Amino acid sequence: MALPQDPEKHDFLAVGDTKASSDYDKSYPAPPAEHHDQSVPGCYDPIIDRYTEDEIKRIVRKVDLRLIPLCGLMYCVSLLDRTNLSNAAIAGMTKELNLRTKNPDRYSVITLVFFITYVIAQPPTTILTRFFGPRIWLATITLCWGVTMIGFGFVKDWKALVGLRLILGILESGFFPGVVYLLSTWYRRYEVGRRYSIFYLIGSLASAFGGILAFGLMQMEGIQGYGGWRWIFIVEGCLTCLVALLGYIFLVSFPDNEKSRAIGFLSPEERRLIVARVNQDRGDADLEKFSFKKWLGGASDWKIWAYGLCFGCATTVSYALAYFLPIILNLELGFDTGTAQCLIAPPYVFAGMIMILTGWFGDKYRQRGLCVAFNAMLCIIGLAVMGWAYGDNRARYFGVFFATAGANANVPSVLTYQANNIRGQWKRAFCSATLVGTGALGGIVGSTVFRSEDSPTYIPGLSVAMGSQVVILIAVGVLTMTFKSENKKADRGEKILEDSLPFRYTA
């Protein structure tokens, strides 16, 4: 059955004005009159002069309050549902389904197969976000994977888990790139850093407190004859279905879609202001007619693949920690099941602090590559302590803080890095898909590097993880030199960047 497209405009929800201010960079000076064409980046729209800076802050704040918390909550259940295997594993799933085998390593197979369909389904599902609209599409796939997650609680053997993980990969593939694409259309380039960080921070609550939630659900052991690990999947799947309903009611559409009722919380003039600000910054707020050639044309830009490489290397560590940290804390560092699940939270809280700090720094000082490099170096230090402080469990746990912070803080940092340095709606859509797709490839590596035979030091896996961060440093170095060189050529009038005369890369 075909999904309905976003309905015609209808003001179904009004959000009250608030004087709370959001971070906002002052508008660029209006260029000469000959450039007052809204289709040209850096152009000027007179509507911007009708509002004071405080009024613009208030309008942007309305968008923040409507968009960021809900997208973060939906991403929270997404991460919770794809990474709760580790909590279920130490809660009895491994023993009941006989997963502790080496040929094959059944647990690694179950974690791995998710990313196969997740990568394959990325490109078309991102386009469908535009076709159906974010409210319809993202809420629908969230509901479907919530139902799938409930099914995890009723499996009889490990092969059924493999099948369900394949389905979960298809359904979740459209969410993260769709949300990243949606967020990028509402904000200017030097506003997205902190907002991506807050979005991902809310999502990371799944990793921070998922273990504590799982520990509570484990206490349902024996109810209706089901093990505690089964209730982890069943209850968390029900929570996902509830969040999907909230998404269907409250999620917003793209700002250029004036006919959608999902942006009824803004007046027509306020919506036009949002579009004008984005066009003034980079000139791509208005939707271009879909062209497969134009969409696929983004593949010819090597920088898009460099962003993807950085993202994949960041997720190699973030996924490895998500899937194996509870097991390492339990089996290798000697903490009991409940303690291991609770000890997951503090490193992710620290990671959230680093996310906000780097997001604020990057937006304020208009630095992107520096933030990515800092996070990668922080991760390398943490991984080194985890691997080479063997015998001192407190030191190894301290290393977990740095590794977790560096890897997870780099997710929003790399997202902002690429968002600041591309133009065009369909190139942005292609880049969102490829970025998250390469991130999934990092998940494949991360789900397999910590092998049981490498216990208790896991030196091979930690070495691969550290190597991935070195790759990030190299890629950022190459991109930084390229951006500075290209910007100098544009300043001298020798080159037009991203089909825009005033556009400059952000190093």
Side-chain angles (χ1 to χ4, degrees):
M1 182 177 68
L3 289 171
Q5 286 190 308
D6 218 7
E8 291 295 306
K9 180 180 177 183
H10 182 268
D11 190 6
F12 80 105
L13 179 67
V15 176
D17 290 348
T18 174
K19 293 183 179 180
S21 64
S22 66
D23 296 311
Y24 167 71
D25 294 307
K26 293 183 178 179
S27 298
Y28 298 128
E34 62 266 28
H35 293 302
H36 290 185
D37 178 358
Q38 196 177 34
S39 65
V40 179
C43 70
Y44 169 75
D45 188 325
I47 194 173
I48 296 176
D49 286 341
R50 300 178 193 172
Y51 293 86
T52 65
E53 184 174 326
D54 286 340
E55 288 174 329
I56 293 176
K57 288 180 180 180
R58 176 183 55 79
I59 294 169
V60 173
R61 182 64 171 173
K62 286 172 66 175
V63 175
D64 289 340
L65 293 175
R66 183 65 180 270
L67 185 61
I68 305 297
L70 183 56
C71 287
L73 179 62
M74 295 178 75
Y75 186 52
C76 181
V77 296
S78 171
L79 277 180
L80 189 67
D81 291 340
R82 80 175 68 165
T83 61
N84 56 12
L85 277 177
S86 57
N87 291 311
I90 63 176
M93 181 182 73
T94 298
K95 182 177 180 181
E96 186 172 335
L97 299 184
N98 190 27
L99 301 184
R100 297 294 290 184
T101 60
K102 293 185 178 180
N103 290 306
D105 184 334
R106 292 176 178 176
Y107 180 77
S108 291
V109 170
I110 293 169
T111 59
L112 171 66
V113 295
F114 167 87
F115 295 102
I116 297 174
T117 50
Y118 188 78
V119 171
I120 294 173
Q122 287 282 330
T125 53
T126 305
I127 296 175
L128 291 174
T129 304
R130 257 296 178 183
F131 183 76
F132 291 117
R135 185 175 68 88
I136 297 292
W137 176 245
L138 298 180
T140 298
I141 60 176
T142 302
L143 177 65
C144 290
W145 90 58
V147 174
T148 302
M149 187 54 53
I150 294 173
F152 275 58
F154 299 98
V155 298
K156 301 299 182 182
D157 56 49
W158 74 281
K159 294 179 181 178
L161 271 181
V162 170
L164 288 173
R165 288 280 291 180
L166 287 168
I167 296 172
L168 186 67
I170 295 173
L171 295 172
E172 287 210 32
S173 66
F175 181 78
F176 191 68
V179 169
V180 169
Y181 177 32
L182 173 64
L183 291 175
S184 71
T185 61
W186 279 92
Y187 299 106
R188 302 194 309 182
R189 286 182 296 161
Y190 302 111
E191 296 173 339
V192 294
R194 280 160 288 186
R195 288 165 175 87
Y196 275 149
S197 294
I198 295 171
F199 155 71
Y200 191 75
L201 174 61
I202 297 172
S204 294
L205 292 175
S207 299
F209 299 105
I212 297 175
L213 175 62
F215 179 69
L217 296 176
M218 281 173 54
Q219 311 313 310
M220 299 177 69
E221 176 79 32
I223 296 179
Q224 298 296 317
Y226 294 126
W229 69 269
R230 294 183 182 274
W231 285 111
I232 292 174
F233 291 125
I234 294 170
V235 174
E236 290 179 358
C238 291
L239 289 175
T240 299
C241 293
L242 177 61
V243 171
L245 178 61
L246 293 176
Y248 181 78
I249 297 173
F250 296 111
L251 195 62
V252 307
S253 185
F254 295 101
D256 61 272
N257 187 6
E258 60 183 295
K259 294 183 179 180
S260 173
R261 72 180 187 183
I263 54 174
F265 70 102
L266 294 177
S267 70
E269 288 291 297
E270 290 173 337
R271 185 204 65 82
R272 183 184 163 193
L273 173 68
I274 293 292
V275 173
R277 294 177 73 248
V278 174
N279 273 329
Q280 185 187 41
D281 180 48
R282 62 175 190 264
D284 65 355
D286 297 307
L287 180 64
E288 307 168 76
K289 183 177 180 181
F290 176 71
S291 165
F292 182 77
K293 182 178 180 180
K294 184 174 291 187
W295 175 79
L296 192 60
S300 63
D301 185 350
W302 68 269
K303 296 187 295 295
I304 284 183
W305 301 106
Y307 307 138
L309 179 64
C310 291
F311 197 71
C313 289
T315 59
T316 293
V317 181
S318 64
Y319 276 121
L321 292 171
Y323 284 123
F324 292 99
L325 183 56
I327 296 173
I328 292 173
L329 291 174
N330 177 226
L331 299 181
E332 307 306 334
L333 299 190
F335 297 105
D336 61 70
T337 299
T339 302
Q341 289 175 326
C342 293
L343 284 177
I344 297 170
Y348 282 96
V349 173
F350 178 66
M353 296 168 61
I354 298 298
M355 283 182 212
I356 298 299
L357 177 63
T358 53
W360 169 83
F361 178 87
D363 279 356
K364 182 174 180 62
Y365 297 102
R366 303 192 173 187
Q367 294 288 328
R368 300 306 181 199
L370 184 61
C371 295
V372 175
F374 169 79
N375 290 329
M377 289 187 288
L378 189 66
C379 186
I380 289 173
I381 294 170
L383 291 168
V385 174
M386 286 177 64
W388 282 270
Y390 182 67
D392 187 342
N393 288 346
R394 287 179 295 183
R396 295 180 75 186
Y397 182 59
F398 175 78
V400 170
F401 278 75
F402 277 24
T404 303
N408 284 276
N410 246 349
V411 172
S413 291
V414 176
L415 288 174
T416 309
Y417 198 26
Q418 62 88 18
N420 276 199
N421 291 303
I422 54 176
R423 281 193 65 253
Q425 288 275 353
W426 295 115
K427 184 174 184 179
R428 194 170 295 279
F430 179 83
C431 190
S432 294
T434 54
L435 191 80
V436 181
T438 51
L441 294 176
I444 292 176
V445 177
S447 64
T448 57
V449 292
F450 289 99
R451 304 174 302 174
S452 57
E453 56 262 39
D454 297 327
S455 172
T457 58
Y458 295 102
I459 296 300
L462 290 169
S463 299
V464 171
M466 292 174 67
S468 70
Q469 303 309 294
V470 173
V471 171
I472 290 178
L473 294 175
I474 295 172
V476 169
V478 172
L479 285 169
T480 299
M481 290 188 292
T482 300
F483 289 158
K484 290 184 177 181
S485 174
E486 295 291 277
N487 287 344
K488 288 178 180 179
K489 291 179 182 178
D491 291 340
R492 295 192 298 265
E494 299 172 2
K495 190 171 186 179
I496 296 177
L497 305 178
E498 299 290 325
D499 299 320
S500 163
L501 187 62
F503 185 87
R504 297 294 183 270
Y505 291 117
T506 305

